[in-house]
Every structure is written in C-alpha cells, then in structure tokens.
Amino acid sequence: MADEHPEREISGMTVRIDRSLCIGSGNCTNLAPEVFVIRQDNIVDFKEEVPDIEAGRLEESMAICPVDALILEDEEGEQIVP
Ligand code: SF4
C-alpha cells in the first residue's frame, strides 16, 4: 500500500502530502508537474525523481490546493502552507 503521508525535501524546504485529504483536482500537478503526479487511484503523489524547483512556484502550487492536503515548511521548519 502506498505511503499516505509521503515527504520530500525540495529546494531546502519540506513538502508533505496528506493523501487521505486529496480529491484529485489536479491543481498542484498543473502548476508543478515536475513534483506532483496523480496516481491510478486518482490521488496525488510525488514524482519518482523530484527536482528542486523555484520556491515561489512550489509554494503557489501547494497553496492552491482546495482541501489543504499539501503542507510546506520553510528551511527553519516553519509551516507556510496551508
Ligand atoms: S491540489 Fe490538492 S486536491 Fe488537488 S490534486 Fe493536488 S493535493 Fe490533490
């Protein structure tokens, strides 16, 4: 079974997905297709290889989530999304 709370370090920040909240809207995958992908269960997950992308676009792609399934912490561990 897939990890329901996968986590990655991207551009020095910590990115978490709460797959139990995702409704598969695709907003995040549209804005950051290098990072996020919709799996066969219609729920988002990380791409196999996640590159560092611009912090601003990463934050935007996560803040746009309608159900707050994406959690972003900055370099100091402070939560900036949602
Ligand atoms: S924006 Fe949120 S609800 Fe939509 S696919 Fe991404 S994580 Fe899921």
Side-chain angles (χ1 to χ4, degrees):
M1 199 176 133
D3 183 358
E4 284 298 291
H5 299 88
E7 179 179 315
R8 297 287 186 278
E9 294 292 320
I10 302 173
S11 302
M13 300 187 286
T14 304
V15 178
R16 289 196 195 92
I17 301 173
D18 185 342
R19 300 188 80 245
S20 70
L21 294 178
C22 175
I23 56 170
S25 67
N27 302 26
C28 59
T29 55
N30 285 339
L31 275 175
E34 311 96 319
V35 174
F36 302 109
V37 64
I38 303 281
R39 296 281 179 213
Q40 280 185 334
D41 57 4
N42 286 323
I43 303 298
V44 82
D45 203 345
F46 290 109
K47 282 281 188 72
E48 292 294 323
E49 299 285 331
V50 179
D52 286 336
I53 68 168
E54 315 88 83
R57 184 160 60 89
L58 179 63
E59 182 177 345
E60 193 182 351
S61 74
M62 297 177 68
I64 203 172
C65 178
V67 292
D68 291 347
L70 302 172
I71 301 105
L72 180 62
E73 289 178 3
D74 68 12
E75 293 88 340
E76 276 79 50
E78 190 159 327
Q79 187 171 318
I80 48 180
V81 176

